[in-house]
Amino acid sequence: MPRKRIRKHYRRARYVLYRETLIDTKEHILTFIGSFVGIGLIGLLNSQYLVANDNLFLIGSFGASSVLIYGIPNSPLAQPRNLIGGHVLSAIIGVTVLKLCPSELWLACALAVSLSIVAMQITKTLHPPGGATALIAVTGGAKIKAMGYLYVLSPVLSGVLILFMVAVIFNNQRHRKYPAKPLFKSRRIK
């Protein structure tokens, strides 16, 4: 009797703990291929057109964005408005803060991330990797800092658009749907 009871509780606990993480193998494969192609395409462009040491197309926050847009594409934080708007807005704020306080790194870092979060909340473009994009604008190497507002266009906007286009292609396979809502509303004439 106690053995059956233990098994019953074990099955219940396992169901509760793992039900959110159980995804079929095809989902894992789509996630892998999508993120591989997205980051790989940015890396390929970087290696073909820039010196390997520059790495100006690849920024760390793209890895975090890939987790959201390929791993959990239905998340509100992974939607195009958040993905593109969050990164671009945060990049603008990061560069601006760097220009306003270039000598106090600790202050520039704290301001860039905090202002980015609030700006994304206000504009409803909250995308957690955007905070990293703002931080990279402030703490990046000399080449990133020298780019100024060009950092917003490339690598940020160009990279995010590549990730987005790949996400649209791979996330609309099988039963996935990305973006969750249509980008453009169709107006039917009656």
Side-chain angles (χ1 to χ4, degrees):
M1 189 80 143
R3 187 177 244 173
K4 285 184 179 181
R5 196 175 192 173
I6 290 172
R7 283 185 189 162
K8 181 180 174 183
H9 289 299
Y10 171 76
R11 280 187 296 221
R12 187 178 297 152
R14 187 165 183 242
Y15 174 76
V16 169
L17 294 175
Y18 294 112
R19 72 176 176 195
E20 291 297 320
T21 59
L22 293 177
I23 300 175
D24 65 7
T25 305
K26 291 177 183 175
E27 288 291 317
H28 295 304
I29 292 169
L30 281 176
T31 299
F32 173 82
I33 293 172
S35 62
F36 182 86
V37 170
I39 295 294
L41 191 55
I42 296 170
L44 180 65
L45 289 172
N46 185 70
S47 66
Q48 294 296 316
Y49 298 107
L50 299 172
V51 179
N53 295 338
D54 287 346
N55 288 329
L56 292 180
F57 278 173
L58 287 171
I59 57 175
S61 55
F62 289 166
S65 290
S66 293
V67 172
L68 288 170
I69 65 174
Y70 303 116
I72 47 173
N74 294 330
S75 167
L77 302 176
Q79 297 311 304
R81 174 187 174 104
N82 298 60
L83 171 70
I84 298 167
H87 274 293
V88 170
L89 184 62
S90 297
I92 292 168
I93 290 171
V95 172
T96 303
V97 167
L98 179 65
K99 290 189 175 293
L100 293 175
C101 12
S103 59
E104 293 295 329
L105 185 62
W106 71 270
L107 180 62
C109 290
L111 276 174
V113 172
S114 301
L115 289 172
S116 293
I117 294 169
V118 171
M120 287 186 288
Q121 286 175 326
I122 290 170
T123 59
K124 296 181 180 161
T125 58
L126 191 61
H127 187 66
T133 298
L135 192 60
I136 292 167
V138 174
T139 62
K143 292 183 180 183
I144 287 190
K145 290 179 181 178
M147 292 177 79
Y149 287 104
L150 287 177
Y151 170 76
V152 176
L153 297 176
S154 178
V156 176
L157 181 61
S158 60
V160 167
L161 289 175
I162 290 170
L163 291 176
F164 169 68
M165 289 185 287
V166 172
V168 167
I169 293 167
F170 285 96
N171 285 336
N172 286 309
Q173 305 294 319
R174 295 191 66 219
H175 63 275
R176 287 182 169 196
K177 185 179 174 196
Y178 184 80
K181 295 179 183 174
L183 290 176
F184 305 104
K185 293 181 182 177
S186 62
R187 296 179 187 216
R188 296 173 65 183
I189 300 173
K190 293 182 180 179

